[in-house]
Amino acid sequence: MQKTLEIILSALREQGQPLDANALDRIIRARNRELRGPVRAVAKKKLLPFYQKVKESDPELWRGWDIDDALEALLVRTLRMKPMRTASGVATVTVLTKPWPCASACLYCPNDIRMPKSYLADEPACQRAERNWFDPYLQVALRLRTLADMGHTTDKVELIVLGGTWTDYPREYRFWFTRELFRALNEASDANAQRASIAERRAFYEHCGVLSERDDLAAFARNEQARVTCGELTYNQAIRELYGNDAGWQRASKSQTAALADVTLEHERNTQATHRSVGLVIETRPDCITPGALTEMRTLGATKVQIGIQSLDQHILDANLRRISLDRIGRAFELARLFGFKIHAHFMANLYRATPESDVAGYRALVTDRRFLPDEVKMYPCALVDGTGLVTHWRNGTWKPYTERELIDVLVANMQATPPYVRVSRMIRDISSHDIMAGNKKVNLRQMVDCELARRGGGVEEIRTREIGTRGADLTELALIEFPYETTVSSERFLQWVTPEGKIAGFLRLSLPKASAIEAARAEAESERGVIGSTGCEAMPIEGKAISHQAARDIEPASASAQEERSARGAFPLAADEAMIREVHVYGAVAALGHASTGAQHTGLGRKLVARACEIAQEAGYERINVIGAVGTREYYATLGFEQHGLYQQKEL
């Protein structure tokens, strides 16, 4: 490994630029021929971790290589694995909450009792979570290490919390989970301390007797899972039987509590940490979006909500046991927007009773009806998984998957309808093909859709298609384009830096709320305050009775005080004369804090976007402007004149 690395360093010194993939492959193949072992002794994925280990643990050898910052940057760019992982400008880390009863029971939703509702054990993020006992600290710490070993900068991290419905979990667990996310970021720069913490946590779970090996976990859940699959038990009943009666799980659960003050302390540390949170994403259902729930999410540092919409056809929602009204979905969008959150909607094609025509019409309503208009969309087809209610309809012929042609036609039409302020993040779930009984199994579905779009001609305006990615941007050629649109509660302005070819280098979302909408939300928040113990999620009729958050506490008792819960709720945090910056994003390969990148980051584009947003808000008559910045971006916005004001940072206009 050392010899191979020294050959690469020599080539980099000679060329003065990163080696392309072919040149690097020639070096690796030549070295493997020299070694003549039964297996490849040298692999690209091992080179960068080897270099980083030498730099950390063998400084004498590392100094002998005479590597300066410029040469190290060339080496990292040459050896970086999967560069698109951080091409959007941040390092994304996905974590899962533990298995827990769900207040809903949708027809299509997987019932894997090793996972939180709707997720499957073979999904990549789920495998990582299970190996780490669903511990948020371990999930973040080890994912950051993997990304660093692949050559990615992890100074700016977007944390994505998956696990069904966030507010179904006890409040003290939510506080603990969030605290540990930030603790992992804050301790990431001290390798020795973090290694010790990881070892201590592993020892704790092992001492409790909580399993983490795949085969052991499969055996642990086998009997209850079989009973769920055949319909003898519901998911919630199986969760309570499996985990509620497991002594090891209970011992571990007793430590999974924290107070809001504990979260705040880690927030304060993160504002100056080497690895900062530039986004915290929380997943929930529309019926759980209330002023109280949003206030708590914002208190925890959240900046984006993922909301499962699935359909905007009431008959289809009802048929799929998605017991929620379109009015309630619309209100969820309105409240999330007023609070400043980015809204990431999940939309599913091919649900029971859906048709290609209804899917196209429903998606068009999602991106044109002023009640909705998300900022980001997961647009994926329904896949049939064993143990779901949909299996019966498949077997009796009342549901069948679309043909490949039908599915691509739907997705192409939806992409063409997507406005320029919306990002379509993905088109498939990471469900293993062996878990899919019927439906799309092709992992390159989006590529197939892109090819069809290119064949048909005509432009696509959605954000991901236009991102500059790892390419650089000629700042002199960028134009600032403003795209206005209206919602039921606000006037929105999407400001974007674009190249002459229409590629996007950065953007800002500005919301100008209507005074009447602010007052209505304030009244709603006031009526909700004082309901201690409520999660903000409506009780849903499941199994013939109301199953709410309180019912889930059969597994672990509550301990949060009424005073703490009131503190988390607070009063409505916004005034009618305040505009809101809901997102600022500049693209390009992730640049370390305080350093330039090969893309558009740290070139002043963000500052200019914020300055223009302030001008627009002032011209519209607003006296102040808020920004829903992440915990780790507070310092940045402070340099732009924003001061901490309750749940937001604020600037006088």
Side-chain angles (χ1 to χ4, degrees):
M1 199 74 70
Q2 178 179 339
K3 179 63 175 176
T4 307
L5 195 59
E6 289 171 349
I7 294 172
I8 293 171
L9 288 169
S10 178
L12 290 172
R13 288 190 178 95
E14 181 179 340
Q15 292 192 18
Q17 61 184 14
L19 303 182
D20 62 29
N22 291 333
L24 178 62
D25 188 55
R26 284 195 294 271
I27 292 173
I28 292 174
R29 283 191 285 109
R31 281 295 293 149
N32 280 314
R33 284 195 298 270
E34 292 175 13
L35 296 171
R36 296 183 180 277
V39 295
R40 287 171 61 97
V42 179
K44 177 183 175 182
K45 67 180 181 180
K46 297 179 180 179
L47 287 168
L48 195 56
F50 173 77
Y51 169 76
Q52 293 167 334
K53 183 178 181 180
V54 169
K55 184 178 180 181
E56 178 183 338
S57 60
D58 194 347
E60 184 176 349
L61 175 59
W62 181 78
R63 282 193 295 270
W65 289 336
D66 191 25
I67 298 178
D68 59 18
D69 290 346
L71 181 58
E72 184 174 66
L74 294 178
L75 179 66
V76 170
R77 288 178 61 187
T78 296
L79 300 181
R80 179 181 293 134
M81 300 291 292
K82 299 181 179 180
M84 293 306 293
R85 284 281 170 87
T86 51
S88 64
V90 299
T92 299
V93 174
T94 300
V95 298
L96 269 82
T97 50
K98 64 185 178 182
W100 191 258
C102 179
S104 190
C106 303
L107 190 71
Y108 49 82
C109 192
N111 291 301
D112 188 337
I113 60 175
R114 286 164 55 187
M115 290 292 129
K117 193 70 159 68
S118 88
Y119 291 92
L120 292 163
D122 281 343
E123 296 181 64
C126 297
Q127 292 181 42
R128 294 194 297 267
E130 195 173 52
R131 285 196 302 269
N132 291 293
W133 298 276
F134 296 92
D135 183 288
Y137 184 102
L138 293 176
Q139 291 182 69
V140 171
L142 296 175
R143 189 59 180 158
L144 289 179
R145 179 184 297 177
T146 298
L147 289 171
D149 287 346
M150 294 167 65
H152 295 280
T153 301
T154 56
D155 293 21
K156 293 178 286 186
V157 179
E158 181 181 51
L159 298 164
I160 301 178
V161 180
L162 303 180
T165 304
W166 174 252
T167 46
D168 277 350
Y169 291 85
R171 177 171 274 109
E172 60 272 19
Y173 175 83
R174 302 197 297 261
F175 289 172
W176 170 80
F177 198 93
T178 307
R179 181 192 68 185
E180 296 307 300
L181 293 176
F182 282 92
R183 188 200 296 271
L185 292 181
N186 295 338
E187 296 182 0
S189 58
D190 188 337
N192 291 331
Q194 189 162 79
R195 272 196 296 269
S197 184
I198 289 171
E200 180 181 352
R201 286 166 185 269
R202 285 174 168 166
F204 167 74
Y205 288 111
E206 289 169 356
H207 175 73
C208 288
V210 181
L211 303 174
S212 65
E213 295 297 325
R214 286 178 58 79
D215 290 345
D216 294 339
L217 287 160
F220 171 67
R222 184 172 293 121
N223 290 337
E224 284 79 3
Q225 186 65 64
R227 294 171 68 192
V228 170
T229 301
C230 73
E232 183 181 337
L233 286 180
T234 67
Y235 172 88
N236 286 356
Q237 289 169 340
I239 289 289
R240 294 190 178 96
E241 284 194 17
L242 190 65
Y243 300 103
N245 296 322
D246 183 76
W249 189 270
Q250 289 302 308
R251 283 194 294 269
S253 294
K254 288 179 180 178
S255 71
Q256 296 173 345
T257 64
L260 187 57
D262 301 324
V263 180
T264 302
L265 178 61
E266 296 301 331
H267 281 177
E268 292 171 353
R269 293 176 62 196
N270 194 247
T271 62
Q272 299 296 321
T274 302
H275 300 265
R276 299 182 194 174
S277 166
V278 297
L280 174 59
V281 186
I282 288 177
E283 182 180 40
T284 190
R285 300 196 314 274
D287 50 302
C288 297
I289 296 292
T290 68
L294 293 171
T295 297
E296 182 193 292
M297 290 179 191
R298 184 61 201 137
T299 303
L300 297 179
T303 55
K304 181 192 294 185
V305 290
Q306 291 197 38
I307 311 176
I309 304 304
Q310 319 314 356
S311 175
L312 286 179
D313 184 311
Q314 191 65 59
H315 296 296
I316 294 173
L317 290 173
D318 293 343
N320 286 272
L321 307 183
R322 190 75 175 170
R323 294 181 173 91
I324 185 172
S325 69
L326 297 187
D327 287 342
R328 190 67 185 86
I329 294 174
R331 188 54 181 159
F333 273 76
E334 291 174 342
L335 287 171
R337 190 182 307 278
L338 289 174
F339 270 78
F341 286 97
K342 279 78 71 179
I343 304 171
H344 190 168
H346 298 185
F347 193 88
M348 293 181 69
N350 201 186
L351 289 169
Y352 174 55
R353 295 281 177 88
T355 65
E357 293 76 19
S358 70
D359 284 336
V360 171
Y363 185 82
R364 189 171 297 275
L366 180 68
V367 296
T368 60
D369 190 320
R370 293 185 177 188
R371 293 176 294 174
F372 309 117
L373 309 186
D375 305 301
E376 195 168 354
V377 177
K378 283 183 182 177
M379 180 172 63
Y380 49 85
C382 179
L384 182 68
V385 176
D386 200 9
T388 64
L390 190 60
V391 172
T392 298
H393 294 283
W394 175 61
R395 286 177 173 155
N396 67 23
T398 55
W399 177 87
K400 64 179 180 179
Y402 293 162
T403 65
E404 185 175 289
R405 180 74 269 160
E406 288 174 325
L407 179 58
I408 289 178
D409 284 345
V410 168
L411 297 178
V412 164
N414 291 351
M415 285 288 284
Q416 291 173 327
T418 304
Y421 57 84
V422 175
R423 185 178 191 270
V424 178
S425 60
R426 64 189 314 164
M427 289 187 184
I428 59 168
R429 280 274 306 270
D430 283 331
I431 299 177
S432 299
S433 60
H434 64 79
D435 282 326
I436 300 176
M437 299 175 66
N440 173 70
K441 296 184 179 182
K442 294 189 175 180
V443 297
N444 66 333
L445 180 61
R446 184 171 191 135
Q447 184 180 16
M448 295 166 63
V449 171
D450 288 343
C451 288
E452 181 62 18
L453 284 164
R455 188 189 70 79
R456 296 186 187 186
V460 174
E461 295 185 305
E462 70 92 19
I463 293 173
R464 183 173 170 177
T465 302
R466 299 187 294 125
E467 294 170 357
I468 61 170
T470 58
R471 298 182 296 276
D474 185 343
L475 302 183
T476 64
E477 293 187 348
L478 294 178
L480 180 57
I481 297 177
E482 301 175 9
F483 186 92
Y485 61 100
E486 296 292 318
T487 77
T488 49
V489 295
S490 65
S491 294
E492 302 286 317
R493 301 291 185 272
F494 182 70
L495 314 181
Q496 54 181 333
W497 288 110
V498 296
T499 68
E501 299 77 29
K503 295 295 182 181
I504 186 167
F507 64 83
L508 179 148
R509 301 185 191 276
L510 172 65
S511 188
L512 305 174
K514 299 175 182 178
S516 58
I518 291 289
E519 291 307 314
R522 185 186 306 282
E524 187 173 341
E526 288 299 322
S527 67
E528 184 188 14
R529 289 185 71 193
V531 185
I532 305 306
S534 168
T535 62
C537 186
E538 297 170 1
M540 301 292 287
I542 306 295
E543 303 160 19
K545 61 180 181 178
I547 301 291
S548 67
H549 171 248
Q550 189 62 42
R553 297 192 179 214
D554 292 345
I555 291 181
E556 24 181 285
S559 62
S561 69
Q563 182 178 359
E564 186 174 76
E565 295 194 14
R566 288 192 185 95
S567 176
R569 284 184 185 282
F572 188 74
L574 300 163
D577 59 356
E578 297 171 0
M580 177 72 74
I581 295 174
R582 297 193 297 118
E583 183 175 15
V584 180
H585 195 117
V586 177
Y587 285 100
V590 172
L593 292 168
H595 295 79
S597 74
T598 56
Q601 290 193 340
H602 299 303
T603 55
L605 295 182
R607 289 175 177 268
K608 292 176 182 177
L609 286 169
V610 171
R612 178 56 186 149
C614 291
E615 290 177 0
I616 294 172
Q618 187 173 25
E619 291 167 1
Y622 292 83
E623 296 183 8
R624 286 169 293 276
I625 187 167
N626 297 308
V627 61
I628 186 172
V631 171
T633 63
R634 289 176 184 173
E635 185 181 62
Y636 169 75
Y637 287 111
T639 67
L640 303 184
F642 287 83
E643 298 180 352
Q644 198 64 39
H645 183 83
L647 300 181
Y648 307 91
Q649 285 175 274
Q650 189 176 91
K651 183 177 182 178
E652 297 283 340
L653 298 175

